[in-house]
Amino acid sequence: MDTDVLIVGAGPTGLMLAGDLVRAGVGHQVLERRTAEPNTTRAFAVHARTLEQLDVRGVADELVATGRQLPGIRLFKRATVSLAGVPSRFPFVLVTPQYETERVLAGRGVRVTSGAAVESVDQDAGGVTATLADGRTLRARYLVGCDGVHSVVRRSIGLSFPGRSVLRSIMLADVRLAEVPAETLTVSSAVGAMAFIAPFGDGWYRIFSWNSDERPVSEPVELDEIRATVRTACGTDFGMHDPRWMSRFHSDERQAPSYRVGRVFLAGDAAHCHSPAGGQGMNTGIQDAANLGWKLAAAVRGHDRLLDSYESERYPIGRTAVKTSGALIRSGIARSSLQRALRMAAIRIPLSVPAIRRRSAIIISGVGVGYGDGADRVPDGPLPDGRRLYEALRDGRFALLGTPDLDIGAWSERVTLTGATPAGDRITLVRPDAYAAWSGSPADTTGLRSALLHWCGEPAREPAER
């Protein structure tokens, strides 16, 4: 073996995964076909649950300092979803360029091999072999395809990418504005036109715009076309000027039928893609990596039973992201007045109910994501030693909230005893990704032992009951 894990793709998903493997001390190599770092990128929104995952890794505050914190999202001039009540240290959407997210993630000790274009992937019972364009081959125990919508890895392992095109031509631009929009992520539309506007906080604004003309993606974008589209959708073009870049792309909604084939895994856009509405794409990919990294580390050390749970947990989340972003984008691209009126009513009426507005904020922020069977998000909170829970998870180990009636010394290298008071007379075993592995009575030694065996593997010695 050349290494334990090969990661194909050095976008946010691949960098997050690599950083987790660095933390775990697992051998890996990141292969990136690009030879230069891009300075223009599509993704711009980082939601609360993603920031919580970065907080678990000690880099959230660094990223927050690079962008603008927006308190909510305004939808089609009809309703505002406030994020102020989201139960998190990060009750906002952070708007920052994707290259800042990549810089922070790479700063966790990640090394990338640039100009390493993977042409094919083959596997057998013992490992995975990646063949590069220059003829080299690399072999590893596992391989993760984080190589985007046109994934070579996905194609090599024979997986389709079913779905459909949503918008044939979306215009993007970073511009300066003479008029400052409201302090929200603004999504506006009219018949035949739609626009998103997001402030980066440094005087630049990201514009996503669409009109029913839908010119080919190969056709150059003119600022006047974007101005006219935004003016139709928003009622003003905000005096936009001095674009630093403009581009077109088409938007599909697709999902691979499986996230794993043998020793090969898919994550991020290689596994799922959808419209930019709601800013879910990069967030979903980063959280894919947060789920997979610690499981791969366990597998490299001989405890591979957790790997199947990656697909069972993350596939439904990807499916939901595809559906919700699709519903939002379709609400904004009405091509007739009647269609627009019906779709606006479908948004305005539910969001006039406070409980639905609160639930919408929880969904958008990602803090409502759970994996079923009790594997829910564990919120951050103070510990007796003065740290927060998410700080205690930064070493990549499990954490135990509450004092059990079982001596877990045999698992002490994998589990941190926090000394926290049991919540509701229950103790909780917290996974490295800040989701619950198990919760039960302090006296339920059988349940806790079973959970430790399942999640942490065999102990060094058999634990003794107190």
Side-chain angles (χ1 to χ4, degrees), residues 49-120:
R49 187 53 178 166
T50 301
L51 288 170
E52 289 185 341
Q53 291 291 355
L54 298 183
D55 192 20
V56 167
R57 290 148 179 87
V59 296
D61 291 337
E62 180 184 357
L63 184 61
V64 169
T66 69
R68 175 73 69 86
Q69 301 173 27
L70 299 185
I73 299 175
R74 183 159 181 77
L75 300 172
F76 311 123
K77 305 176 186 178
R78 301 287 178 169
T80 298
V81 178
S82 172
L83 302 173
V86 171
S88 170
R89 283 188 69 221
F90 310 101
F92 50 81
V93 55
L94 176 71
V95 175
T96 190
Q98 182 178 320
Y99 56 77
E100 291 287 7
T101 302
E102 292 180 353
R103 178 187 62 79
V104 169
L105 292 174
R108 300 172 64 209
V110 175
R111 295 183 179 182
V112 176
T113 302
S114 300
V118 173
E119 284 200 336
S120 64

Side-chain angles (χ1 to χ4, degrees), residues 41-324:
T41 49
R42 296 176 187 172
F44 62 89
V46 187
H47 291 296
R49 187 53 178 166
T50 301
L51 288 170
E52 289 185 341
Q53 291 291 355
L54 298 183
D55 192 20
V56 167
R57 290 148 179 87
V59 296
D61 291 337
E62 180 184 357
L63 184 61
V64 169
T66 69
R68 175 73 69 86
Q69 301 173 27
L70 299 185
I73 299 175
R74 183 159 181 77
L75 300 172
F76 311 123
K77 305 176 186 178
R78 301 287 178 169
T80 298
V81 178
S82 172
L83 302 173
V86 171
S88 170
R89 283 188 69 221
F90 310 101
F92 50 81
V93 55
L94 176 71
V95 175
T96 190
Q98 182 178 320
Y99 56 77
E100 291 287 7
T101 302
E102 292 180 353
R103 178 187 62 79
V104 169
L105 292 174
R108 300 172 64 209
V110 175
R111 295 183 179 182
V112 176
T113 302
S114 300
V118 173
E119 284 200 336
S120 64
V121 171
D122 297 288
Q123 62 177 313
D124 53 45
V128 188
T129 301
T131 301
L132 277 57
D134 61 10
R136 286 181 296 158
T137 60
L138 293 170
R139 189 161 170 80
R141 289 178 173 82
Y142 300 99
L143 183 146
V144 185
C146 306
D147 51 340
V149 172
H150 304 292
S151 172
V152 171
V153 174
R154 187 184 62 240
R155 185 174 67 248
S156 292
I157 60 177
L159 287 178
S160 61
F161 206 33
R164 56 182 171 174
S165 177
V166 183
L167 298 176
R168 289 196 296 270
S169 180
I170 296 178
M171 295 174 286
L172 286 81
D174 283 358
V175 301
R176 293 192 181 277
L177 302 180
E179 305 168 25
V180 178
E183 279 293 297
T184 56
L185 178 62
T186 304
V187 184
S188 301
S189 73
V191 175
M194 180 178 62
F196 304 168
I197 302 175
F200 284 121
D202 59 358
W204 291 98
Y205 290 79
R206 166 60 53 84
I207 307 292
F208 281 78
S209 60
W210 168 89
N211 64 52
S212 55
D213 188 22
E214 290 196 314
R215 298 179 185 179
V217 293
S218 59
E219 185 174 323
V221 182
E222 300 292 338
L223 182 60
D224 284 344
E225 183 183 2
I226 297 177
R227 278 198 188 110
T229 303
V230 172
R231 193 180 305 120
T232 299
C234 303
T236 176
D237 63 14
F238 300 98
M240 69 174 65
H241 59 94
D242 294 335
R244 61 182 175 185
W245 75 286
M246 298 181 291
S247 181
R248 295 184 198 269
F249 75 99
H250 74 270
S251 176
D252 289 354
E253 49 186 28
R254 301 181 183 278
Q255 188 175 23
S258 178
Y259 286 10
R260 179 189 185 185
V261 175
R263 292 176 173 269
V264 180
F265 299 81
L266 300 177
D269 287 352
H272 46 74
C273 69
H274 43 80
S275 83
Q280 297 296 320
M282 181 178 69
N283 292 271
T284 307
I286 289 175
Q287 292 177 47
D288 286 346
N291 183 288
L292 180 58
W294 62 276
K295 296 174 181 177
L296 278 173
V300 167
R301 296 188 176 110
H303 184 55
D304 62 0
R305 69 164 62 180
L306 304 179
L307 290 177
D308 282 339
S309 69
Y310 167 64
E311 178 177 322
S312 64
E313 291 183 345
R314 292 305 300 173
Y315 188 91
I317 306 304
R319 182 177 57 207
T320 297
V322 170
K323 288 182 177 180
T324 55

